[in-house]
């Protein structure tokens, strides 16, 4: 049995983790949903149980060995652990899964030695550090910068891999590596002191580099899926720049912390998910082609509009606006997932091989 044949068994754990993460996020915004006992695990569910499992599945499929699926399987089991009220068990499962990610990226690194594999390896290490800090201290804000580092390094690595044939000069690549170096310095320093400002400046620099040198702009010239993905990428880079500005500048408003984090996680990261899902999902599921239909704009753009409303509510201290924006985000992500599922099923019916 191929490893890809086991992916449909494991992928639902990631999708259910996303659903629970959305629901716990709505509880934290003030919506009365009867899952308040797991609301404190919102970050671990979103970053670890959902994003960690999806990225592990993507890596494991490349290995084409069933043993490689052990890491995403253990990582995915964090979901039932959190649901059963065993947060420590859930966090330890995330640590084991993220250690599996470190091993996989290290094996890629020593085999291929491409520069972007150093970023994938470094991002995996940051994920482990974030999970360990939560287990050790029980204080989630200490893990947040390391989770941000995991996702930023991973996404930049994937963009570099996809853009490796573009005519980018050596000095232009050095600009990106310099920005990433500054970013890591900011993460390593006391984050809620000087580290936060340094990290924010570096995030702005990375966003500016991607806006200038990534292939997203060229994708806009093409119709269909390339234009859709290019649009989502450019919107995501804009959200990354805004998050960097909120980190870097001494801006104070009622819910600045919420706005700073979610412009990164819900703005930048989810834009990347929306952009890459039609391309990456076929490979993860062992299928050929691209899972795209224009209806995907409804969920992806709707989520970003909801985030914009929520961010404005953060700025104004308007709880109704924040709750409405958060609910719109959750519904839009649900629409996106349903649309993706329909597209996958239709592809399977018409193209079974």
């Amino acid at each position: 049995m191929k490893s890809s044949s086991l992916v449909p068994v494991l992928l639902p754990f990631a999708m259910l983790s996303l659903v629970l993460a959305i629901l716990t996020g709505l509880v934290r915004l003030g919506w009365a949903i009867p899952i308040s006992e797991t609301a404190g695990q919102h970050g671990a569910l979103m970053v670890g149980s959902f994003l960690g499992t999806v990225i592990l599945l993507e890596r494991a499929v490349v290995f084409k060995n069933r043993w490689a699926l052990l890491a995403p399987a253990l990582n995915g089991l964090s979901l039932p652990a959190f649901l059963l009220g065993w947060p420590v068990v859930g966090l330890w499962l995330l640590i084991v899964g993220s250690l599996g990610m470190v091993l996989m990226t290290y094996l890629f690194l020593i085999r291929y030695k491409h520069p972007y594999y150093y970023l994938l390896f470094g991002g995996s290490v940051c994920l482990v550090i974030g999970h360990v800090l939560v287990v050790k201290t029980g204080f989630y804000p200490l893990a947040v910068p390391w989770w941000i580092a995991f996702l930023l390094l991973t996404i930049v690595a994937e963009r570099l891999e996809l853009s490796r044939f573009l005519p980018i000069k050596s000095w232009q690549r050095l600009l990106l590596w310099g920005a990433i170096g500054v970013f890591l310095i900011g993460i390593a320093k006391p984050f809620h002191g000087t580290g936060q400002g340094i990290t924010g400046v570096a995030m702005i620099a990375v966003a500016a580099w991607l806006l200038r040198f990534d292939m997203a702009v060229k994708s806009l010239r093409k119709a269909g899926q390339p234009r859709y993905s290019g649009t989502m990428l450019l919107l995501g880079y804009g959200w990354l720049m805004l998050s960097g500005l909120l980190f870097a500048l001494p801006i104070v408003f009622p819910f600045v912390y919420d706005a700073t984090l979610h412009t990164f996680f819900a703005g930048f990261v989810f834009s990347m998910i929306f952009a890459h899902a039609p391309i990456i999902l076929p490979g993860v599921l062992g299928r050929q082609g691209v899972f795209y239909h224009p209806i995907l704009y409804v969920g992806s753009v709707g989520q970003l509009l909801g985030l914009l409303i929520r961010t404005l509510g953060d700025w104004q201290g308007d709880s109704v606006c924040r709750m409405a924006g958060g609910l719109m985000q959750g519904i839009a992500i649900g629409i996106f997932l349903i649309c993706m599922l329909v597209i996958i099923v239709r592809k399977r019916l018409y193209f079974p091989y």
Side-chain angles (χ1 to χ4, degrees):
M1 184 183 294
K2 295 181 180 180
S3 62
S4 59
S5 64
L6 294 175
V7 172
V9 179
L10 299 177
L11 195 58
F13 280 90
M15 296 302 102
L16 290 173
S17 297
L18 173 58
V19 172
L20 185 59
I22 291 171
L23 292 176
T24 54
L26 291 175
V27 170
R28 293 168 69 87
L29 281 172
W31 289 99
I33 302 173
I35 52 167
S36 57
E37 64 278 1
T38 57
Q41 313 305 324
H42 171 67
L45 285 163
M46 184 63 80
V47 177
S49 302
F50 168 55
L51 290 169
T53 302
V54 169
I55 293 171
L56 272 166
L57 280 172
E58 180 188 349
R59 307 268 168 80
V61 168
V62 176
F63 272 87
K64 302 184 185 302
N65 292 305
R66 292 177 65 183
W67 68 264
L69 288 169
L70 181 61
L74 291 172
N75 205 83
L77 287 174
S78 61
L79 171 64
F82 287 130
L83 279 172
L84 291 170
W86 302 337
V88 175
V89 174
L91 288 167
W92 273 108
L93 287 167
L94 292 180
I95 289 173
V96 174
S98 58
L99 285 171
M101 188 182 297
V102 170
L103 175 61
M104 282 191 235
T105 52
Y106 176 72
L107 292 174
F108 277 126
L109 178 60
I110 62 175
R111 184 181 303 174
Y112 300 110
K113 295 182 174 60
H114 294 303
Y116 43 81
Y117 282 120
Y118 287 93
L119 292 181
L120 290 175
F121 177 73
S124 302
V125 172
C126 290
L127 181 62
V128 174
I129 293 172
H131 292 337
V132 169
L133 284 172
V134 175
V135 170
K136 185 177 180 180
T137 67
F139 191 55
Y140 275 90
L142 288 178
V144 167
W146 296 99
W147 287 344
I148 289 174
F150 157 61
L151 291 166
L152 183 65
L153 295 180
T154 299
I155 291 168
V156 170
E158 291 182 348
R159 294 312 305 164
L160 286 177
E161 182 178 9
L162 292 170
S163 304
R164 62 188 181 277
F165 298 118
L166 291 180
I168 301 174
K169 298 178 181 178
S170 297
W171 68 268
Q172 294 170 338
R173 293 186 186 277
L174 284 175
L175 290 176
L176 177 62
W177 286 101
I180 291 171
V182 174
F183 172 80
L184 292 174
I185 291 171
I187 295 296
K189 292 179 70 66
F191 188 73
H192 295 286
T194 56
Q196 178 174 319
I198 294 171
T199 300
V201 170
M203 289 167 67
I204 295 168
V206 171
W209 192 95
L210 291 169
L211 283 167
R212 173 61 180 83
F213 297 111
D214 188 70
M215 62 190 296
V217 175
K218 294 181 174 60
S219 298
L220 295 180
R221 302 169 188 167
K222 303 175 182 178
Q225 176 271 318
R227 180 177 296 168
Y228 164 79
S229 293
T231 301
M232 292 300 107
L233 289 168
L234 292 174
L235 288 171
Y237 301 154
W239 283 107
L240 176 61
M241 186 168 288
L242 176 57
S243 182
L245 284 169
L246 292 173
F247 272 126
L249 299 177
I251 302 172
V252 178
F253 52 83
F255 294 100
V256 63
Y257 188 69
D258 181 79
T260 304
L261 295 191
H262 287 89
T263 49
F264 178 83
F265 288 106
F268 172 59
V269 175
F270 265 85
S271 292
M272 300 301 105
I273 293 171
F274 297 146
H276 291 128
I279 308 167
I280 291 176
L281 266 177
V284 171
L285 294 172
R287 310 291 296 173
Q288 294 183 349
V290 175
F291 294 162
Y292 170 74
H293 189 280
I295 198 170
L296 292 179
Y297 278 104
V298 176
S300 53
V301 174
Q303 195 276 145
L304 296 178
L305 287 175
L307 175 61
L308 179 60
I309 294 169
R310 174 179 179 162
T311 305
L312 291 173
D314 286 336
W315 177 38
Q316 296 292 329
D318 187 336
S319 60
V320 174
C321 191
R322 295 178 72 236
M323 291 174 67
L327 182 61
M328 184 175 175
Q329 286 180 270
I331 293 172
I333 292 172
I335 291 172
F336 182 85
L337 292 177
I338 292 169
C339 291
M340 283 302 311
L341 179 61
V342 172
I343 292 169
I344 292 168
V345 171
R346 287 187 64 190
K347 283 275 188 178
R348 189 173 184 85
L349 289 174
Y350 291 107
F351 305 99
Y353 300 105

